[in-house]
Amino acid sequence: MKITIDAEKNVTIDIPENATAEQVAEALAQTKLIEDIFVNVGKNSYYEAFPTASDIDLATANKIVDTYLNDGHSGVHQLFIDEDWDVNPSTYFHDAGVKSDLESELRDILDAIFEETDLDQDDIFEALLEADEGKLKDVIYEAMREADKSTPEESFPSHIKADITFIPDNHVLDIDDMYPSYRGYCFSAEDARPSSNLMRILRFFNVSPAEFVQECKNRGWDPTNPEIPEDISDYRRKDIELDALTWKSILELGEGTTNFIRQLPLPSKYDIAEWNSTVKQVFGGKDIDRPAVVDMDTLFTILDNATGSGVPCFVARVPIKDILGGQLDGPFKVTGGQIGVHDFINGSGYVDTLRGELIIDPSKGEMTTLSIDDVYGMVGSAYKADIEKVELSGWVHTKENQWIKAEGDRVAEISRTFASDGVEEFWVLTKNEDGDIAGPRETSEVFLTLEDAKLDADTCLKEEWELNAAPTP
């Protein structure tokens, strides 16, 4: 028995006499006409696996962002699936009226079959959905997916935000390895001991060791020449004297002399490694082309109130759509938010609103969703920040006549001098991360412009190096 289901396209099906709804459905399922109808309805269903999100709590927002920071977009997509946050095509098919739309598109065909067989149209339609082991349902679901342009990263309105916390160097060091040590019962600017970890804090705030020491003097004490009480033990006296010598050595790094550095007692590999780390933090730390991130009063308030020590950090609350949209993937400039020194292990520290301008390079630290709110309990608006992507060359203008760029275990240094006729000369020298001369420019090369010197140095940093350095003279 043949039934014409589309006269214009001359499409017919061949079914047995007294066929059941299931038999009719199996015959319909084999035609391209029916498959095309399923595909077209699926494509025009407005299905979105990731529709615009309603309000979600901060913990969930942080979970989404944390997944993105660790596993990218694919991780976020998988998280939505694992947590059943995405809309399943089958659910949408039944709940959003797609099934009714499909039935309407098939109505003329179902009516034609009814006229020939007296079979109920609804029975045929339901059988069609299950025909050939549900092949046509798979067809319409796949068409819905193919037409769907929604993504998790575009499903969040601007008002849904998550915490972001940046900690410099946390990508290579654990947090508990970055706490600066101190004398006495608590951490403060006056009691902080000179170390690579303290230099890391100053570097984050774009404050040089010399500026820090000068401010200490302005406030009534001199770290390089401390007053030592007469009634203290020899052990404590030597400790204070060593700190003073270390401060003098750190300041000497910017002067190009080694009078105090030679006096440093470095009896163990640990002491040598710590000094090298300190040198690394000082060189390329302060960029004189940029102001300090906070004023001195704010810096010293932060240090004096972070009594349990801690790590430098920046914290803000940022729209999820911006984070998932890649706004924080590369270097960015930020104003607003909170900046300070925080103890993420014991829950203490001190932060203040960032009123200046901070440049963050995510590759130089760890971006996380670690929260500080349980310690400070600030209103949400305190975390508001304005973020703008920037391009960074990597060069730091450390002194009037010096530029430094570090990439991994390689460092390029440019020094400006002036010839007898007043012409500028730019000398390129390459070093390892410990400050020892190494690499393609173990012997300095001179260039007539800063741009040419930077271009040469950038090329050197990309070359293969022999890092068996000769000792620095």
Side-chain angles (χ1 to χ4, degrees):
M1 177 181 182
K2 290 186 180 294
I3 299 178
T4 299
I5 58 174
D6 189 321
E8 183 178 337
K9 296 181 179 179
N10 194 29
V11 179
T12 63
I13 57 171
D14 193 358
I15 58 174
E17 294 290 339
N18 301 317
T20 64
E22 288 72 21
Q23 289 174 314
V24 173
E26 290 292 339
L28 289 171
Q30 306 309 312
T31 67
K32 188 174 185 305
L33 173 67
I34 296 298
E35 183 174 331
D36 287 345
I37 291 173
F38 272 72
V39 169
N40 289 332
V41 171
K43 285 183 176 180
N44 295 293
S45 66
Y46 301 104
Y47 164 72
E48 289 184 329
F50 309 104
T52 300
S54 57
D55 284 337
I56 59 177
D57 60 41
L58 184 60
T60 301
N62 286 346
K63 184 175 184 178
I64 293 168
V65 169
D66 196 53
T67 300
Y68 173 73
L69 294 174
N70 288 302
D71 302 312
H73 288 135
S74 61
V76 174
H77 288 213
Q78 190 59 49
L79 175 67
F80 269 66
I81 293 170
D82 293 343
E83 297 289 345
D84 201 25
W85 293 337
D86 63 320
V87 177
N88 189 286
S90 174
T91 302
Y92 189 86
F93 176 77
H94 288 92
D95 296 346
V98 181
K99 182 178 180 180
S100 298
D101 292 342
L102 177 63
E103 191 170 9
S104 295
E105 289 296 315
L106 292 169
R107 181 54 55 191
D108 289 345
I109 293 173
L110 298 176
D111 286 346
I113 295 173
F114 171 74
E115 290 177 1
E116 297 292 335
T117 66
D118 215 23
L119 290 170
D120 184 80
Q121 296 100 317
D122 291 342
D123 289 345
I124 298 173
F125 177 69
E126 293 297 335
L128 186 59
L129 297 179
E130 304 302 325
D132 198 4
E133 299 181 343
K135 180 190 78 170
L136 290 175
K137 282 197 296 188
D138 292 339
V139 167
I140 196 169
Y141 295 161
E142 184 59 29
M144 290 163 64
R145 291 190 188 96
E146 288 183 357
D148 175 29
K149 304 302 181 185
S150 69
T151 62
E153 52 269 28
E154 295 176 349
S155 67
F156 297 100
S158 296
H159 72 273
I160 299 182
K161 299 180 178 181
D163 291 322
I164 61 106
T165 295
F166 177 75
I167 304 172
D169 292 348
N170 192 206
H171 62 312
V172 292
L173 294 171
D174 292 334
I175 285 178
D176 56 358
D177 291 329
M178 293 195 295
Y179 285 35
S181 56
Y182 52 91
R183 296 189 304 272
Y185 297 104
C186 63
F187 179 78
S188 68
E190 185 171 1
D191 287 327
R193 304 193 67 184
S195 65
S196 62
N197 288 337
L198 181 61
M199 297 307 110
R200 180 175 291 106
I201 291 175
L202 297 182
R203 178 173 185 160
F204 187 62
F205 288 102
N206 200 36
V207 172
S208 71
E211 290 172 326
F212 176 79
V213 168
Q214 182 57 52
E215 184 62 22
C216 291
K217 293 178 181 179
N218 295 344
R219 292 170 183 262
W221 74 91
D222 182 356
T224 67
N225 188 26
E227 295 181 6
I228 303 177
E230 294 182 1
D231 58 344
I232 65 171
S233 66
D234 287 342
Y235 173 80
R236 289 190 60 199
R237 179 185 299 276
K238 289 180 180 178
D239 224 22
I240 295 173
E241 290 173 345
L242 175 59
D243 283 354
L245 176 60
T246 304
W247 271 119
K248 291 175 182 176
S249 300
I250 289 171
L251 297 185
E252 197 173 41
L253 290 171
E255 298 168 358
T257 59
T258 60
N259 297 323
F260 296 111
I261 294 174
R262 289 197 195 100
Q263 300 176 42
L264 280 174
L266 302 174
S268 68
K269 290 183 178 179
Y270 171 83
D271 295 310
I272 295 171
E274 166 58 22
W275 173 248
N276 287 337
S277 296
T278 300
V279 172
K280 186 177 179 181
Q281 290 298 326
V282 173
F283 278 130
K286 165 73 176 182
D287 188 340
I288 65 173
D289 288 339
R290 295 190 295 115
V293 174
V294 297
D295 59 44
M296 284 298 180
D297 282 340
T298 301
L299 173 61
F300 275 67
T301 297
I302 289 172
L303 296 178
D304 288 342
N305 286 277
T307 54
S309 188
V311 296
C313 64
F314 169 77
V315 183
R317 201 158 281 170
V318 179
I320 295 181
K321 65 179 298 182
D322 291 346
I323 300 172
L324 271 59
Q327 287 295 99
L328 311 185
D329 287 357
F332 59 91
K333 178 175 63 179
V334 62
T335 54
Q338 298 293 316
I339 191 168
V341 173
H342 186 74
D343 179 353
F344 287 93
I345 297 174
N346 299 304
S348 65
Y350 191 88
V351 297
D352 204 337
T353 300
L354 173 61
R355 295 175 176 83
E357 184 178 282
L358 174 67
I359 293 179
I360 291 177
D361 182 351
S363 70
K364 305 299 184 183
E366 187 76 15
M367 194 78 72
T368 75
T369 58
L370 286 172
S371 177
I372 63 171
D373 202 46
D374 56 340
V375 175
Y376 305 103
M378 293 177 285
V379 296
S381 59
Y383 297 104
K384 183 180 183 300
D386 295 318
I387 291 174
E388 178 185 342
K389 297 183 77 170
V390 294
E391 295 288 335
L392 294 181
S393 68
W395 285 100
V396 180
H397 193 181
T398 55
K399 292 190 292 187
E400 182 180 358
N401 294 312
Q402 183 183 70
W403 293 260
I404 289 177
K405 183 175 184 178
E407 288 191 359
D409 56 0
R410 307 171 181 192
V411 178
E413 179 180 308
I414 298 175
S415 300
R416 176 171 54 188
T417 62
F418 296 88
S420 58
D421 57 0
V423 173
E424 291 182 316
E425 297 177 333
F426 297 89
W427 297 84
V428 176
L429 185 69
T430 50
K431 302 179 178 180
N432 62 23
E433 62 181 339
D434 295 328
D436 298 321
I437 294 172
R441 293 290 177 263
E442 289 183 342
T443 301
S444 296
E445 188 79 16
V446 65
F447 297 86
L448 295 180
T449 68
L450 178 60
E451 291 71 24
D452 286 343
K454 286 182 176 180
L455 184 62
D456 176 76
D458 285 335
T459 301
C460 289
L461 288 172
K462 293 180 173 64
E463 293 179 7
E464 292 294 327
W465 283 32
E466 290 290 340
L467 290 176
N468 297 322
T472 302

